[in-house]
Amino acid sequence: MKALITGINGFVGGHLEEYLVSHQIDVWGTSRRANNEQDKANRLLLDFNHKEPIVQMLNTLKPDLIFHLAAQSSVANSWAEVSGTLDANVTKTGLFYDAVKQSEIADKVKVLSIGSSEEYGSVSKENIPISETVPLNPTNPYGISKVTQYMLAKFYASQGLHIVHVRPFNHIGPGQSQGFVTSDFARQIALIESQKLPPIITVGNLEAQRDFTDVRDIVRAYTVVIQRGVAGEVYNICSGKSRSIRYILDYLLTLSTNKSIDVQQDINKMRPSEFPIYIGDSSKINNLIGWETEYLLEESLKEILDFWRSKA
Ligand code: A2R
Ligand code: GDD
């Protein structure tokens, strides 16, 4: 079996590649940049600005599975990068699906469209935990882009493509870049431990509560949902538990070798608005594939801190 991962050099792409390769799947991936660092032979230099090169690539490669990960993935940056977010997540996705539809593999290939819990946006209390039927009410440009990506997935499914849409809630793990909460906290702690930063950690909103899942549980779910999910359907991927950002910070601080780190709130790390609590309902995916999370949040946090210690 052959898989294509768009955005393979990103955080999730790396973990997904590792998982698929360990399951004897032949993995290829697209990137807008040459991968000088590793110079891997399975990287295809491609952006999604023109349809013809994508169609040609698909006709040559003939993947059985396509994981469409490439995106502007930061909620925080999406306020300042509205058009860039819509361009990456909507325009390029539309062009990409159009190319898949025009290619020789259109009637065989299975495609996974990656949405987000941010599609739900502002949710009324009685709708928590959030199931797939809760009205979509995004409150930031990233959420809007992912709702539109969902609409595109449904549209192309109605046109005959086998596309399944997933809504992962927050996913974390070693390798996630700065700009996401667990990496931001762990990176600063690692730099403080190695005395490259003074013992002050700056943070944003600690009161938000989020449903965290380890990225390795997420890619295991992707691999099964793409094959067994129903075209045009949507599946939440979440743990069903919520933790405050303050809990994440406190837990990482207990793991630190430096016991006198001060916490300072940085107004620049606060968002114009955000929903206070997300808890997902994962019954639909559990019923489909019997998937449940395996990693404990605390295990993931320890590995994330160790990852940043190795870079500090
Ligand atoms: O082309 P690269 O190698 O720089 O890969 C980046 C790619 N990407 C884009 N591709 C086309 N046009 C853009 N404007 C654009 N911006 C970024 O997508 C990048 O490495 C990859 C996404 O990787 P991460 O930012 O690390 O996201 P992550 O966490 O792997 O998320 C994967 C999917 C995305 O659809 C998220 O929205 C969702 O999961 O949470
Ligand atoms: N990034 C960041 N940095 N977030 C902070 C910080 C900080 O220093 N301090 C507090 N937070 C809070 C944010 O305000 C937010 O409530 C929460 O931590 C999580 O922020 P992120 O890790 O940036 O993730 P996100 O929820 O905005 O988006 C992630 O999850 C989505 C699914 O729920 C991304 O991975 C998205 O791509 C994904 O779709």
Side-chain angles (χ1 to χ4, degrees), residues 72-76 115-118 142 146 168-172 176 179-182 184-185 188 202-206 208-212 245 269-271 274-275 278:
Q72 192 298 96
S73 62
S74 165
V75 176
S116 168
S117 51
E118 287 290 337
Y142 176 82
K146 289 293 178 176
F169 286 54
N170 291 64
H171 37 302
I172 57 169
Q176 191 169 30
F180 299 93
V181 68
T182 58
D184 280 352
F185 292 175
Q188 290 180 78
T202 61
V203 302
N205 177 15
L206 297 181
Q209 295 175 55
R210 293 290 179 265
D211 181 333
F212 289 95
I245 305 304
K269 294 189 176 180
M270 304 292 283
R271 309 212 172 148
E274 65 176 342
F275 194 66
Y278 283 124

Side-chain angles (χ1 to χ4, degrees), residues 185-202:
F185 292 175
R187 176 178 167 275
Q188 290 180 78
I189 291 172
L191 289 170
I192 291 167
E193 286 178 349
S194 61
Q195 300 188 337
K196 292 185 178 133
L197 277 182
I200 301 166
I201 182 166
T202 61

Side-chain angles (χ1 to χ4, degrees), residues 7 9-12 31-33 47 69-71 73 88 92 114 142 146 171:
N9 288 341
F11 164 55
V12 180
S31 170
R32 292 165 303 164
R33 291 171 251 271
D47 201 350
L69 265 48
S73 62
K92 287 184 181 180
I114 316 295
Y142 176 82
K146 289 293 178 176
H171 37 302

Side-chain angles (χ1 to χ4, degrees), residues 127-131 169 209 211 238 240-242 277-281:
N127 281 334
I128 295 174
I130 304 168
S131 72
F169 286 54
Q209 295 175 55
D211 181 333
C238 52
K241 294 184 212 94
S242 193
I277 174 165
Y278 283 124
I279 307 176
D281 175 347

Side-chain angles (χ1 to χ4, degrees), residues 45 85 121 124 135 142 156 168 170 197 211 231-232 267:
L45 196 59
T85 302
S124 47
Y142 176 82
Y156 280 99
N170 291 64
L197 277 182
D211 181 333
I267 193 78

Side-chain angles (χ1 to χ4, degrees), residues 6-307:
T6 70
I8 194 170
N9 288 341
F11 164 55
V12 180
H15 287 281
L16 180 59
E17 179 180 25
E18 195 178 324
Y19 184 80
L20 294 175
V21 167
S22 75
H23 286 76
Q24 288 72 51
I25 294 177
D26 182 16
V27 178
W28 293 77
T30 68
S31 170
R32 292 165 303 164
R33 291 171 251 271
N35 193 350
N36 297 331
E37 215 182 295
Q38 294 145 6
D39 207 15
K40 291 182 178 170
N42 66 346
R43 265 38 176 190
L44 306 165
L45 196 59
L46 193 71
D47 201 350
F48 305 122
N49 294 319
H50 304 286
K51 196 160 51 172
E52 202 40 48
I54 308 174
V55 175
Q56 275 177 25
M57 177 273 289
L58 293 170
N59 288 346
T60 309
L61 193 67
K62 294 193 170 30
D64 305 287
L65 307 175
I66 298 176
F67 298 87
H68 179 44
L69 265 48
Q72 192 298 96
S73 62
S74 165
V75 176
N77 292 345
S78 73
W79 270 278
E81 289 173 27
V82 179
S83 74
T85 302
L86 294 176
D87 180 50
N89 301 2
V90 178
T91 308
K92 287 184 181 180
T93 294
L95 185 90
F96 182 65
Y97 290 163
D98 210 29
V100 177
K101 184 167 173 259
Q102 211 172 296
S103 74
E104 292 163 11
I105 57 170
D107 57 344
K108 293 186 280 286
V109 68
K110 292 188 167 179
V111 181
L112 194 70
S113 158
I114 316 295
S116 168
S117 51
E118 287 290 337
E119 290 174 58
Y120 297 113
S122 183
V123 175
S124 47
K125 265 196 188 132
E126 65 272 16
N127 281 334
I128 295 174
I130 304 168
S131 72
E132 291 82 354
T133 55
V134 166
L136 303 178
N137 190 20
T139 56
N140 56 60
Y142 176 82
I144 293 167
S145 76
K146 289 293 178 176
V147 169
T148 315
Q149 200 167 325
Y150 168 55
M151 299 294 170
L152 284 169
K154 277 204 347 179
F155 170 68
Y156 280 99
S158 77
Q159 299 287 297
L161 286 188
H162 193 288
I163 302 192
V164 178
H165 187 74
V166 284
R167 293 199 184 116
F169 286 54
N170 291 64
H171 37 302
I172 57 169
Q176 191 169 30
S177 62
Q178 302 180 48
F180 299 93
V181 68
T182 58
S183 288
D184 280 352
F185 292 175
R187 176 178 167 275
Q188 290 180 78
I189 291 172
L191 289 170
I192 291 167
E193 286 178 349
S194 61
Q195 300 188 337
K196 292 185 178 133
L197 277 182
I200 301 166
I201 182 166
T202 61
V203 302
N205 177 15
L206 297 181
E207 307 315 320
Q209 295 175 55
R210 293 290 179 265
D211 181 333
F212 289 95
T213 301
D214 191 281
V215 65
R216 289 157 289 192
D217 282 330
I218 294 276
V219 300
R220 189 165 50 80
Y222 286 178
T223 306
V224 188
V225 173
I226 193 176
Q227 299 183 74
R228 304 224 332 245
V230 176
E233 283 290 316
V234 52
Y235 300 88
N236 283 344
I237 307 185
C238 52
S239 72
K241 294 184 212 94
S242 193
R243 290 288 171 73
S244 71
I245 305 304
R246 187 181 296 283
Y247 175 84
I248 303 281
L249 175 66
D250 289 346
Y251 191 79
L252 285 167
L253 288 173
T254 64
L255 296 178
S256 176
T257 53
N258 186 323
K259 297 297 173 199
S260 49
I261 299 179
D262 277 341
V263 177
Q264 275 182 13
Q265 200 163 54
D266 178 349
I267 193 78
N268 297 313
K269 294 189 176 180
M270 304 292 283
R271 309 212 172 148
S273 70
E274 65 176 342
F275 194 66
I277 174 165
Y278 283 124
I279 307 176
D281 175 347
S282 59
S283 320
K284 192 171 172 183
I285 185 180
N286 291 343
N287 290 337
L288 179 78
I289 63 171
W291 174 89
E292 282 185 5
T293 56
E294 287 177 357
Y295 282 81
L296 287 176
L297 174 62
E298 292 74 12
E299 283 169 8
S300 308
L301 292 174
K302 165 125 191 12
E303 281 193 55
I304 293 164
L305 182 55
D306 286 341
F307 170 82

